[in-house]
Amino acid sequence: MFLVAAPGQSSAIGWLLFAVWDRSAAVLYLSILFLHFIGVALGVGTGFASVTLGLAAKDLPPEERTKFMLRAAALRKNGSYGLALLILSGLAMLILRGPASVFAWGGPAFHLKLTLVVIQIGLFGYMQVLGKKIRVAGGGPLMAKMPKLTLALLGVSLATVAAAVAAFK
């Protein structure tokens, strides 16, 4: 897709049109990559913020802690937006570059990244379901699972980023 020359183009207009299309494709790809990094920032940032808020609330009395964490749970929306951006922009980059070239370029580290993304989506979905149950119940014993799940999700998110860096250097 990002070729320097158009094979078989003999006219100056053909070369010019190809150069404009190629530049537009590059701008599109870089724009999607930018959105992908915004998704990473939103998702991983939400994980760090959730851990920090949990640590800040641990010294609160149980009633206050429950009330505080139920309010702080609104932060999960950033995680949802980040994950949605990551999935959509990741698929767009895969389509633009072509699956064969992306898999060849990323190698085994890209396969690991995709596996971690599937685990990340599963953990995130489970946390969303659990969060809804906690919100409906106004707290309760299910809240005790959230800190461990938050740490697990943050760990998987960081491992995903590390695999992406290894894949695409």
Side-chain angles (χ1 to χ4, degrees):
M1 177 172 254
F2 300 105
L3 300 172
V4 176
Q9 289 292 338
S10 57
S11 70
I13 293 174
W15 278 99
L16 179 64
L17 287 175
F18 185 81
V20 169
W21 177 84
D22 189 49
R23 190 171 302 128
S24 296
V27 168
L28 176 63
Y29 183 81
L30 291 175
S31 299
I32 292 169
L33 184 62
F34 176 79
L35 290 175
H36 200 69
F37 285 128
I38 295 295
V40 170
L42 277 169
V44 176
T46 298
F48 279 115
S50 296
V51 168
T52 302
L53 288 171
L55 290 172
K58 75 177 184 175
D59 294 335
L60 294 174
E63 274 187 32
E64 275 186 62
R65 183 172 51 240
T66 299
K67 191 174 177 180
F68 175 77
M69 292 310 289
L70 284 172
R71 286 190 186 269
L75 185 63
R76 282 194 312 254
K77 288 181 183 177
N78 285 350
S80 298
Y81 299 144
L83 186 59
L85 266 177
L86 283 169
I87 291 170
L88 294 174
S89 61
L91 288 173
M93 288 189 294
L94 184 72
I95 290 166
L96 278 176
R97 286 256 185 209
S101 68
V102 173
F103 279 93
W105 180 30
F110 183 64
H111 288 89
L112 174 62
K113 176 192 177 282
L114 291 179
T115 302
L116 290 168
V117 166
V118 170
I119 293 167
Q120 189 175 0
I121 290 169
L123 271 171
F124 186 80
Y126 177 63
M127 287 179 69
Q128 292 290 86
V129 169
L130 200 60
K132 171 117 179 163
K133 288 179 180 179
I134 291 168
R135 198 170 47 252
V136 168
L142 288 178
M143 278 189 81
K145 291 183 176 186
M146 291 304 269
K148 290 176 187 152
L149 288 170
T150 300
L151 282 174
L153 183 59
L154 180 59
V156 171
S157 298
L158 293 173
T160 304
V161 171
V165 169
F168 301 115
K169 302 169 195 72

